[in-house]
Amino acid sequence: MSSTADTHQPATGQVAAEQTAVEENLIATVLASFDNTPDPRLKQVMQSLVAHLHAFIRDVRLTEAEWNKAIEFLTAVGHITDDRRQEFILLSDVLGASMQTINVNNPTCTGSAVATEATVFGPFFVDDAPEIPNGGDIAGGAPGQPCWIEGTVTDTEGNPVPNARIEVWEADEDGFYDVQYDDNRVAGRAHLFADEDGKYSFWGLTPTPYPIPHDGPVGRMLEATGRSPMRASHLHFMVTAEGLRTLVTHIFVRGDELLKSDTVFGVKESLVKDFVQQPAGTPTQDGRALASGWTRARFDIVLAPAGAEPAHAG
Ligand code: BEZ
Ligand code: FE
């Protein structure tokens, strides 16, 4: 039996042979209904989906009441979804499906250096974030402890990637992204370009933990299953450069107690960075006058070659 046998009692073993034949016959019929799908990839995806869905229903011996509940749940997920809120992506995130899709599509890529690992995109990216100069500040007035981030962008052969476009976005110290306020503020996000040597730096905020939106059906599911909605503290990056694979990732804060329980399973050890505390009065490299303490972190970014994505099997 599957590893799920540790956590529940699948009843398939107790199903009579005649009943098993009825169930397997239905699966064969449903699979065959897709046999003439003109697009071979669509055929593969649909038949695999049917096979796994039926395996699940039979594995847990799904009751009709549970099936109804599932339909009600998905209906609620649809109803709360609009232009500003995407509950289906949130559902995918908390089930680990987003992260697994990222894993499948961003295989480890190693030359003389290993490409930086990808993680979840999340719902708070905005296309037209302002440009800041290299060394500028993304905070835009967002509250939080200042943090100096610096690093390089290189390819997997160690060559600098000049002028790579770096998008960064993060929540403020109250745990909210600018788009979660209804005053149209733009804060805690920007884009900048690496210099000719692939070097970049900017001021941001020391990341703090925050909950994913949990006032909807996904939040109720987390509560019913005893799970927390909290994300580990992080800062989002999306890095693009011609001829190289676009990287969507975060950096996380070493020592954050949520690293092991991030609710969207986004943490990868290679993305956990030291955010080194700088006591009040520590001079900054750009002569900025800071009354309070600040942190600094280094994030060297390695981009895989474009086309390093896996081909579809079958
Ligand atoms: C985020 O990091 O912004 C995020 C990711 C997944 C779900 C919700 C929020
Ligand atoms: Fe986030």
Side-chain angles (χ1 to χ4, degrees):
M1 199 56 234
S2 66
S3 61
T4 56
D6 297 341
T7 50
H8 70 267
Q9 288 297 312
T12 36
Q14 296 137 31
V15 176
E18 258 175 48
Q19 171 68 16
T20 298
V22 168
E23 294 171 11
E24 289 181 350
N25 187 40
L26 175 61
I27 297 171
T29 307
V30 180
L31 289 176
S33 77
F34 290 101
D35 274 350
N36 296 328
T37 305
D39 178 342
R41 174 66 177 167
L42 180 61
K43 176 177 167 181
Q44 180 195 20
V45 168
M46 292 311 299
Q47 291 188 327
S48 178
L49 175 65
V50 164
H52 285 88
L53 180 62
H54 284 251
F56 158 71
I57 293 167
R58 298 174 76 215
D59 181 28
V60 300
R61 308 306 296 168
L62 193 71
T63 69
E64 287 171 292
E66 287 164 344
W67 182 88
N68 270 314
K69 259 228 139 36
I71 297 293
E72 273 169 28
F73 175 77
L74 290 175
T75 303
V77 170
H79 280 163
I80 203 172
T81 295
D82 61 19
D83 289 352
R84 294 172 67 91
R85 171 125 183 200
Q86 229 307 351
E87 195 81 355
F88 281 105
I89 295 184
L90 212 54
L91 177 59
S92 165
D93 292 341
V94 301
L95 294 178
S98 307
M99 202 57 219
Q100 195 66 286
T101 306
I102 289 161
N103 287 340
V104 165
N105 287 281
N106 293 270
T108 307
C109 184
T110 313
S112 56
V114 182
T116 303
E117 292 190 282
T119 188
V120 285
F121 195 45
F124 298 121
F125 174 73
V126 168
D127 252 334
D128 49 1
E131 181 175 345
I132 56 161
N134 211 336
D137 193 338
I138 74 162
Q145 183 188 48
C147 174
W148 176 255
I149 314 272
E150 64 190 342
T152 54
V153 185
T154 58
D155 64 19
T156 48
E157 296 313 320
N159 305 306
V161 179
N163 308 318
R165 181 181 173 115
I166 304 170
E167 301 270 358
V168 283
W169 65 107
E170 65 176 327
D172 64 24
E173 70 177 359
D174 297 321
F176 296 108
Y177 286 82
D178 53 0
V179 290
Q180 293 177 286
Y181 294 95
D182 46 21
D183 57 5
N184 291 325
R185 74 183 69 179
V186 177
R189 70 176 70 243
H191 72 274
L192 64 150
F193 294 90
D195 71 12
E196 285 305 307
D197 301 319
K199 292 194 176 130
Y200 77 92
S201 56
F202 62 90
W203 282 103
L205 304 174
T206 309
T208 47
Y210 67 86
I212 64 168
H214 59 111
D215 56 344
V218 169
R220 291 196 288 282
M221 188 272 275
L222 291 176
E223 198 178 348
T225 53
R227 284 180 53 186
S228 158
M230 295 302 290
R231 288 225 58 200
S233 312
H234 62 273
L235 167 59
H236 293 259
F237 281 75
M238 178 162 69
V239 187
T240 46
E242 215 174 306
L244 296 166
R245 185 165 81 189
T246 294
L247 172 69
V248 174
T249 196
H250 317 338
I251 51 174
F252 296 91
V253 180
R254 196 177 313 287
D256 181 353
E257 59 188 25
L258 292 166
L259 287 174
K260 286 208 162 32
S261 61
D262 183 46
T263 199
V264 301
F265 310 99
V267 179
K268 291 181 168 174
E269 176 51 36
S270 68
L271 301 175
V272 179
K273 303 295 171 193
D274 295 311
F275 282 72
V276 184
Q277 288 290 337
Q278 310 291 309
T282 309
T284 68
Q285 49 292 314
D286 58 355
R288 187 173 174 181
L290 287 176
S292 59
W294 50 287
T295 61
R296 62 185 308 155
R298 182 164 189 95
F299 180 35
D300 292 321
I301 297 165
V302 181
L303 298 180
E309 297 81 3
H312 291 144

